[in-house]
Amino acid sequence: MKKLEEKIQTIGEVRDGNVLKVDSFLNHQVDPELMDDMAVAFMEYFKDKKVTKIVTIETSGIAPSLFLAKRLGVPMVFMKKGVSTTLCKDALCTEVFSFTKNRTYSLYADASFFNEDDHVLLIDDFLANGEACVGALRLLEKTKVTIEGIGIVIEKSFQPGRSRLEEMGHDICSLARIQAFEDGQVVFQKADQ
Amino acid sequence: MKKLEEKIQTIGEVRDGNVLKVDSFLNHQVDPELMDDMAVAFMEYFKDKKVTKIVTIETSGIAPSLFLAKRLGVPMVFMKKGVSTTLCKDALCTEVFSFTKNRTYSLYADASFFNEDDHVLLIDDFLANGEACVGALRLLEKTKVTIEGIGIVIEKSFQPGRSRLEEMGHDICSLARIQAFEDGQVVFQKADQ
């Protein structure tokens, strides 16, 4: 997605350790116009899918997911991180290792928001090693929903996340695919949309 | 806001300890259509204000804020909770006590997203004791922005949050105002919009 790539090039910040900071439009300050444009791009890619629910992971997946849910006229469910006392009843739970933060966290969702007739698009902000997505899919597997596809805002294509998801048979749409960081610059490969 | 009150009445759950669970449309599963309707209601109430930025608190403030930011054509910034290693530089920080969770957390924002020309609407999902809002205002005070108003989705009017904010001189718009919980039912008083 051209507009997203331009935004990453102009105001994203490449940090040591292959970290891309996009706090100025995605992860802390949010550009709502861009979020809605991303929703349109995801819709176009997944236009042949029947979707009844958007699922994402808090916090940074919420903004990219919300306009997509609105445009599709379906609810959005965000999985929660950490331990919540109000979520224990009927909660689905799994453990996820974050390479970025170098620690394990719990991923939760309330089972009552899913049923076997649901057709889900899973949306997340970043795909790198794939830990978060694979964790979310592990939760969703317990709910008997159908996974129609996975929408990613920024994919680090030099890391194994995409291969892992493809080997599981998933259809992936990444709006920006980063091939490499070279001298503090982002090198893109062709995005899915 | 009639539609919000109806949603609270029909699918909100009143729990022990004056807890209202709205996980089915606001805090876990999100109804994007309702979020956009809330944005319209906030816009109507604050229509005479010049607004350059929407500010909220992760996680549950993000959904109600995003459509408002989109409709106003301004960025949204969500303050973060907890400690983040990537946010330390230039980060504003304050401590907030959560009565719901009975613990203190850190509220963070990157100072670079605010400047003295900014006119801010602060949006949050719940107003009860006002700790989160007052904490967010404490952070914003350091940034020299102008606070144009505070938009709340659900106010527990029997708790002191609103009075605290009004005493600080703030203009508050609460879309649903809960006067009391009686026999597991929600009793509303007239909302601001």
Side-chain angles (χ1 to χ4, degrees):
Chain A
M1 183 186 165
K2 198 77 192 156
K3 188 175 165 184
L4 174 62
E5 290 176 355
E6 284 170 3
K7 205 97 178 182
I8 293 169
Q9 289 281 22
T10 52
I11 60 172
E13 294 173 40
V14 179
R15 298 280 174 91
D16 289 345
N18 287 335
V19 171
L20 175 67
K21 196 160 171 268
V22 287
D23 272 11
S24 56
F25 62 91
L26 180 62
N27 285 342
H28 186 9
Q29 180 168 251
V30 179
D31 176 343
E33 196 69 40
L34 180 66
M35 298 302 118
D36 197 27
D37 291 342
M38 290 178 349
V40 172
F42 283 134
M43 275 182 79
E44 176 61 23
Y45 182 89
F46 293 114
K47 63 177 183 289
D48 297 328
K49 308 280 188 173
K50 170 192 160 192
V51 176
T52 65
K53 203 155 278 171
I54 305 297
V55 178
T56 190
I57 301 169
E58 71 172 352
T59 304
S60 298
I62 296 174
S65 299
L66 202 58
F67 289 108
L68 180 59
K70 171 73 162 59
R71 284 183 174 272
L72 291 172
V74 301
M76 182 267 273
V77 177
F78 60 89
M79 294 181 176
K80 302 193 175 196
K81 290 176 183 171
V83 179
S84 167
T85 50
T86 59
L87 264 177
C88 292
K89 197 187 131 208
D90 303 323
L92 303 164
C93 187
T94 192
E95 303 285 299
V96 173
F97 181 73
S98 165
F99 283 89
T100 319
K101 298 186 175 168
N102 195 30
R103 61 178 168 81
T104 298
Y105 62 88
S106 301
L107 197 62
Y108 282 85
D110 189 321
S112 69
F113 297 134
F114 303 97
N115 67 71
E116 60 185 20
D117 297 326
D118 269 329
H119 291 249
V120 164
L121 282 185
L122 177 63
I123 305 291
D124 206 7
D125 57 340
F126 273 95
L127 175 63
N129 288 290
E131 285 298 303
C133 265
V134 170
L137 290 166
R138 221 167 26 239
L139 276 202
L140 289 171
E141 202 175 336
K142 301 178 190 177
T143 68
K144 316 255 186 261
V145 302
T146 303
I147 309 294
E148 291 292 345
I150 299 171
I152 300 294
V153 179
I154 302 171
E155 174 190 309
K156 292 177 177 172
S157 306
F158 55 89
Q159 289 185 272
R162 189 183 182 101
S163 310
R164 290 179 70 186
L165 299 176
E166 281 178 341
E167 278 162 22
M168 294 165 74
H170 293 295
D171 187 4
I172 304 158
C173 170
S174 296
L175 301 183
R177 301 187 67 189
I178 297 174
Q179 186 178 305
F181 295 112
E182 286 178 9
D183 304 325
Q185 295 297 307
V186 181
V187 181
F188 292 104
Q189 67 184 76
K190 193 176 179 311
D192 298 307
Q193 188 64 31
Chain B
M1 184 185 164
K2 198 77 192 160
K3 189 174 165 185
L4 174 63
E5 289 175 357
E6 284 170 3
K7 204 98 177 180
I8 293 169
Q9 288 282 20
T10 51
I11 61 173
E13 293 173 41
V14 180
R15 299 281 174 90
D16 289 345
N18 286 336
V19 171
L20 175 66
K21 195 162 172 266
V22 287
D23 272 11
S24 57
F25 63 91
L26 180 61
N27 285 343
H28 187 9
Q29 180 168 253
V30 179
D31 177 343
E33 197 68 41
L34 180 67
M35 298 300 119
D36 197 27
D37 291 341
M38 291 179 348
V40 172
F42 283 134
M43 274 182 82
E44 176 61 24
Y45 183 89
F46 292 114
K47 64 177 183 288
D48 297 329
K49 308 280 188 173
K50 171 191 160 192
V51 177
T52 64
K53 203 155 278 172
I54 304 297
V55 178
T56 191
I57 300 169
E58 71 172 352
T59 304
S60 298
I62 296 175
S65 298
L66 202 59
F67 289 107
L68 180 58
K70 171 73 163 60
R71 284 184 174 272
L72 291 172
V74 301
M76 182 267 273
V77 177
F78 60 89
M79 293 181 178
K80 301 195 176 196
K81 290 176 183 171
V83 178
S84 167
T85 50
T86 59
L87 264 178
C88 293
K89 196 187 132 208
D90 303 325
L92 303 165
C93 187
T94 191
E95 302 286 298
V96 173
F97 181 72
S98 165
F99 283 90
T100 319
K101 297 185 176 169
N102 195 31
R103 61 178 167 83
T104 298
Y105 62 90
S106 301
L107 198 62
Y108 282 85
D110 189 322
S112 69
F113 298 134
F114 303 98
N115 68 70
E116 60 185 19
D117 297 327
D118 268 330
H119 291 250
V120 164
L121 282 184
L122 177 64
I123 305 291
D124 207 6
D125 57 340
F126 272 94
L127 175 64
N129 289 289
E131 284 299 302
C133 266
V134 170
L137 290 166
R138 219 165 30 237
L139 276 201
L140 289 172
E141 204 176 334
K142 301 178 190 178
T143 68
K144 315 255 187 265
V145 302
T146 304
I147 309 295
E148 291 292 345
I150 299 171
I152 300 293
V153 178
I154 302 171
E155 174 190 309
K156 293 177 177 173
S157 306
F158 54 89
Q159 289 184 273
R162 188 183 182 102
S163 311
R164 290 178 70 186
L165 298 176
E166 281 178 341
E167 279 162 22
M168 294 165 74
H170 293 295
D171 186 3
I172 304 158
C173 171
S174 296
L175 300 182
R177 300 187 66 189
I178 297 175
Q179 185 179 304
F181 294 111
E182 286 178 8
D183 304 325
Q185 294 298 306
V186 181
V187 181
F188 292 105
Q189 66 184 75
K190 193 177 180 309
D192 299 306
Q193 188 65 30

